[in-house]
Amino acid sequence: MSSLYNFKKIEPVPTSSDFVDIILSKTQRKTPTVIHKNYNIGRIRQFYMRKVKFTQENFDEKFKNILDEFPKLEDIHPFYADLMNVLYDKDHYKLALGQVNTARHLIDQVAKDYVRLLKFGDSLYRCKQLKKAALGRMATVMKRQKDSLAYLEQVRQHLSRLPSIDPNTRTLLICGYPNVGKSSFINKITRAEVDVQPYAFTTKSLFVGHMDYKYMRWQVIDTPGILDHPLEERNTIEMQSITAMAHLRSCIMYFMDLSEQCGYSVEDQVKLFNNIKPLFANKPIVLVINKIDQVKPEDLPEEQRKWIEDIANEENATVLTMSCYNDDGVMNVRNSACDKLLAARVEMKMKGNKINDVINKIHLAQPQQRDNIARLPNIPAETKTRVKYDPNDPNRRRLEKDIEAEQGGAGVYNVDVKKKYLLEDDEWKYDTIPEFLDGHNVADFIDPEIEEKLEALEREEERLEAEGFYQSDEEILDDEEEVLRTAADAIRDRKKLIVQAHRAARGRTRPVLPKTAAAKFTTVSEMDRQLASMGIDGTDASERTRSAAESRKRTRHEAIPDEAVKDAGAMDRGDSEAQEIASEGFRNVKQKLEADKQKKNVQKQSSKMGKRGEADRQIQTKMPKHLFSGKRGMGSTDRR
């Protein structure tokens, strides 16, 4: 909850001139900057419309951040709303935020009007002037917000310095006249470092410290001192205390100085309490009498003691005494105030509506009394007679520690782990237990009833055999099941043969020709003989195959290109270059060049991984500037 009122996260509010500079600079950086008059007029309009819209969107974004980050007095806790009213005047604050919101709408309207005019711009110059006028009017609107932005920046700086107070957590609120020891007390019980001086109004604002009590976090608020005069005459410093007392659910700790060293009499301090007690309604009150090292309540006159007793009786206040000078009673005051606040918070929750939902879920069982016998708590006799171990008693029970000391102490003594073995004969404790005996594992013969179990198992087996438990079911098979089993056995045998044939075929060294290759070695006459052996007339198929083959025949000129013929002629003539190309497996020079080109392309990627090393002698800068710059004599300089 306290993070909700952490105003340190509000971003700084720039001045009006800085605001304009930021927005226009962003427009220049984030939008295109080059336009020519020979562009299409639609493109020119779009260029300048984008400038105006982008500027308006940036203004809108900045204003929206300001309006969202500053707290709205209607949405925050009444304590903070009244505190901001005391510190900054809520009318002035609302007016500043309202002017920022108005400027946001004005800039939106200016952008809308000028975008509408830019749609009808007929030249580059006209569009540029409209854009210029739009941004100028936006800047003018911003200049009018100079005072509002400066005020909001001052409010932001002051808000960031305010302590983060959680209005709903466990709180101790310290109040009273100036210089009665409030800041000294908060310094004692928390880590807060509030300035303490021997004059009034040292504390000018609220200070918050935190502490732990009963595993819970507590906040302690030190308020500025207040004087006894009407509310309308109180200044800003005093109104902070009044606001805290009025709105925070806390334990009110009203401090009094009976020694009157604070500069105010006991009567004035009692009058101040009666004056501000309407602010303490429904809150636990602790009346703290400070500086008892100077004057104690018993030392006061009867009349003044009666005033303090009246406060304690009428307001149900708890009167506690302490002294910050010698720390007498400080922690008692703190603990009593915390306990009283916890009790008040529980009582308030019990009166609320939510308690009914909680009580319905809780059931506390109460045992019913069955007779009139009183059953008091019973302490066992052993516990009563238990005597504390005395190491100097000669009749004491010997401990393992005593045995260790007798046998050489730590590092020499070895614990006897076998002495507490429970065996029939104590002499067996230290016998060596063999793991193997006569070639057999001893663990297999540990069970003393192994023979009886074995006999019982054999009797069970004989009984099952006699009853026919292990007889085969094959004798009672019917005819259908017999047929199915026979068919299944035949299928299994067939599968085994197929698998064996497949494995034998895989193990051959002779490669198996594919169908396309095998077709090349099959002639038409072989096809005729095969068809005739099957009793089929294959005349039509043979003729159709021969006619298709004739239609696919190529001429010699088509089959052998001229270049191959020339290369063959060159080889016949003994051309050494052609013979070398042919020996490498290429048909001609063109094919060899293409292959070399492909090889270079493949090697290019791997060559990119090469790094420059120490052996690569290379001068990075041919003519270093530091050797050729400086004072010159007469004449021209040539650095090339």
Side-chain angles (χ1 to χ4, degrees):
M1 192 69 180
S2 60
S3 60
L4 182 64
Y5 303 112
N6 185 9
F7 302 123
K8 296 178 177 62
K9 297 179 180 178
I10 303 176
E11 293 184 0
V13 180
T15 61
S16 59
S17 59
D18 290 345
F19 213 114
V20 173
D21 291 343
I22 291 168
I23 299 299
L24 295 185
S25 173
K26 188 173 182 180
T27 302
Q28 186 70 5
R29 286 183 291 109
K30 299 283 188 179
T31 56
T33 55
V34 178
I35 191 73
H36 298 292
K37 62 181 180 181
N38 56 353
Y39 284 173
N40 185 5
I41 187 63
R43 183 176 176 182
I44 295 173
R45 291 170 185 164
Q46 192 64 33
F47 177 85
Y48 286 109
M49 284 164 59
R50 182 177 176 183
K51 293 266 187 187
V52 174
K53 286 181 181 177
F54 188 82
T55 307
Q56 176 261 325
E57 289 172 359
N58 287 333
F59 272 116
D60 189 85
E61 181 183 357
K62 281 282 187 183
F63 284 138
K64 188 172 183 302
N65 287 342
I66 292 174
L67 294 172
D68 289 346
E69 289 181 346
F70 275 89
K72 295 178 177 58
L73 299 183
E74 294 79 11
D75 298 341
I76 60 177
H77 195 274
F79 163 68
Y80 272 108
D82 278 7
L83 186 63
M84 293 180 68
N85 181 29
V86 168
L87 296 173
Y88 319 122
D89 185 3
K90 68 177 181 181
D91 295 333
H92 194 177
Y93 177 75
K94 286 185 174 181
L95 187 61
L97 290 179
Q99 287 181 344
V100 169
N101 194 32
T102 303
R104 174 187 173 191
H105 291 305
L106 285 175
I107 288 178
D108 290 351
Q109 190 61 41
V110 166
K112 187 185 295 184
D113 294 343
Y114 277 89
V115 166
R116 191 182 298 117
L117 292 174
L118 277 167
K119 290 181 181 178
F120 301 98
D122 54 358
S123 65
L124 175 68
Y125 177 75
R126 186 72 57 87
C127 292
K128 183 177 181 179
Q129 293 302 105
L130 286 171
K131 185 268 297 185
K132 191 176 179 181
L135 299 189
R137 287 191 60 184
M138 292 179 189
T140 303
V141 171
M142 282 305 306
K143 287 180 181 177
R144 292 174 185 166
Q145 308 305 318
K146 177 182 177 182
D147 295 335
S148 297
L149 294 176
Y151 170 76
L152 287 175
E153 174 60 16
Q154 292 295 324
V155 170
R156 183 200 69 81
Q157 292 179 6
H158 198 277
L159 276 175
S160 66
R161 291 193 291 268
L162 284 180
S164 295
I165 298 175
D166 187 352
N168 300 313
T169 192
R170 295 164 292 275
T171 307
L172 302 181
L173 189 66
I174 305 172
C175 61
Y177 261 102
N179 208 25
V180 292
K182 302 186 297 296
S183 300
S184 300
F185 177 70
I186 191 174
N187 287 344
K188 293 286 184 183
I189 65 173
T190 69
R191 292 184 179 180
E193 296 180 356
V194 186
D195 188 22
V196 177
Q197 297 294 340
Y199 49 81
F201 289 105
T202 307
T203 304
K204 295 184 175 61
S205 61
L206 299 176
F207 284 90
V208 180
H210 293 86
M211 67 175 186
D212 290 330
Y213 179 68
K214 287 189 176 180
Y215 304 103
M216 289 181 288
R217 197 71 170 160
W218 298 70
Q219 68 179 5
V220 186
I221 301 178
D222 180 21
T223 62
I226 51 180
L227 302 178
D228 184 19
H229 47 236
L231 187 66
E232 56 273 8
E233 296 180 9
R234 289 197 166 96
N235 57 21
T236 303
I237 297 176
E238 294 176 282
M239 286 303 297
Q240 294 182 54
S241 300
I242 299 297
T243 304
M245 287 186 282
H247 293 291
L248 292 178
R249 295 170 51 191
S250 59
C251 175
I252 303 295
M253 302 181 70
Y254 184 80
F255 273 59
M256 290 184 65
D257 178 11
L258 302 183
S259 66
E260 300 182 357
Q261 292 179 353
C262 59
Y264 303 96
S265 64
V266 176
E267 183 180 1
D268 292 338
Q269 297 178 53
V270 172
K271 286 183 180 178
L272 175 62
F273 180 89
N274 293 326
N275 187 8
I276 62 176
K277 70 180 180 182
L279 300 173
F280 304 158
N282 301 323
K283 296 174 186 175
I285 304 171
V286 176
L287 184 63
V288 181
I289 308 297
N290 195 13
K291 303 182 183 179
I292 59 171
D293 56 312
Q294 301 293 327
V295 176
K296 296 182 179 180
E298 300 82 28
D299 302 335
L300 292 176
E302 183 65 27
E303 183 182 4
Q304 294 181 356
R305 281 206 306 271
K306 189 174 182 305
W307 292 339
I308 296 174
E309 292 173 359
D310 291 342
I311 292 176
N313 296 330
E314 293 177 7
E315 306 300 331
N316 194 21
T318 303
V319 180
L320 300 172
T321 60
M322 72 167 194
S323 172
C324 291
Y325 180 74
N326 52 18
D327 294 345
D328 184 14
V330 172
M331 301 313 291
N332 181 39
V333 170
R334 185 202 73 168
N335 298 344
S336 301
C338 292
D339 292 337
K340 189 162 187 177
L341 179 60
L342 284 178
R345 287 169 69 93
V346 171
E347 183 181 355
M348 189 179 298
K349 288 180 180 179
M350 293 294 290
K351 293 179 181 178
N353 296 327
K354 292 183 180 179
I355 190 63
N356 295 327
D357 300 334
V358 178
I359 289 178
N360 291 336
K361 300 175 184 177
I362 299 175
H363 174 67
L364 182 62
Q366 293 286 348
Q368 295 182 354
Q369 188 173 2
R370 62 178 185 269
D371 49 34
N372 296 325
I373 300 174
R375 294 177 173 84
L376 300 176
N378 183 26
I379 300 174
E382 275 183 38
T383 311
K384 290 180 183 176
T385 59
R386 185 174 295 167
V387 181
K388 186 177 179 181
Y389 177 76
D390 185 7
N392 299 321
D393 184 7
N395 299 323
R396 70 182 185 281
R397 182 170 58 90
R398 296 183 72 223
L399 301 179
E400 197 73 25
K401 189 175 182 181
D402 301 330
I403 301 172
E404 178 186 353
E406 292 173 2
Q407 298 186 12
V412 178
Y413 171 66
N414 192 14
V415 181
D416 186 4
V417 295
K418 295 183 178 181
K419 66 181 179 181
K420 293 186 179 180
Y421 281 4
L422 299 178
L423 302 176
E424 291 182 6
D425 190 353
D426 289 341
E427 296 178 357
W428 297 350
K429 287 183 180 180
Y430 300 99
D431 289 351
T432 304
I433 302 175
E435 294 184 5
F436 293 92
L437 184 65
D438 299 333
H440 298 285
N441 191 352
V442 175
D444 296 337
F445 302 95
I446 293 297
D447 192 352
E449 301 176 358
I450 186 70
E451 294 181 359
E452 297 178 5
K453 291 180 180 178
L454 182 59
E455 290 177 1
L457 186 60
E458 289 177 353
R459 288 195 299 271
E460 180 73 15
E461 289 292 322
E462 292 174 0
R463 184 181 63 78
L464 291 175
E465 287 180 2
E467 293 175 358
F469 182 77
Y470 295 113
Q471 288 183 359
S472 176
D473 296 337
E474 294 180 358
E475 300 174 0
I476 57 175
L477 293 176
D478 55 0
D479 296 338
E480 291 185 5
E481 192 168 354
E482 184 70 27
V483 171
L484 286 175
R485 292 212 171 187
T486 306
D489 293 339
I491 291 171
R492 292 192 193 97
D493 295 340
R494 179 63 179 161
K495 280 186 177 180
K496 288 179 182 178
L497 292 174
I498 292 172
V499 170
Q500 290 175 1
H502 177 66
R503 288 175 179 169
R506 264 183 22 188
R508 293 186 209 154
T509 56
R510 180 176 62 83
V512 179
L513 288 175
K515 290 183 179 180
T516 54
K520 296 180 182 179
F521 302 100
T522 306
T523 61
V524 179
S525 59
E526 289 179 358
M527 184 180 71
D528 288 339
R529 285 196 298 272
Q530 184 69 19
L531 292 175
S533 65
M534 297 169 64
I536 301 172
D537 185 11
T539 308
D540 295 338
S542 302
E543 291 178 357
R544 189 163 55 250
T545 304
R546 288 192 180 94
S547 61
E550 290 175 357
S551 65
R552 289 197 304 271
K553 281 185 178 180
R554 294 181 298 173
T555 63
R556 178 176 178 80
H557 182 71
E558 291 176 345
I560 303 175
D562 294 340
E563 296 174 357
V565 175
K566 291 177 182 177
D567 292 340
M571 291 172 65
D572 292 341
R573 290 193 304 271
D575 191 343
S576 61
E577 185 180 354
Q579 289 176 2
E580 184 180 352
I581 292 172
S583 65
E584 292 179 1
F586 301 112
R587 283 197 307 231
N588 48 34
V589 178
K590 182 179 179 182
Q591 194 177 31
K592 185 177 187 309
L593 293 175
E594 184 65 25
D596 292 341
K597 183 178 178 182
Q598 294 294 333
K599 182 177 73 171
K600 287 182 180 178
N601 288 339
V602 170
Q603 293 174 349
K604 189 181 295 183
Q605 188 64 28
S606 59
S607 299
K608 289 182 180 179
M609 300 301 293
K611 306 285 185 179
R612 186 166 57 210
E614 297 175 355
D616 297 321
R617 298 185 180 180
Q618 186 175 2
I619 301 173
Q620 298 296 332
T621 307
K622 303 296 184 186
M623 300 287 281
K625 184 177 179 182
H626 68 280
L627 295 179
F628 296 94
S629 61
K631 293 184 178 179
R632 302 285 200 283
M634 295 296 292
S636 62
T637 301
D638 187 4
R639 294 182 57 237
R640 291 178 296 173

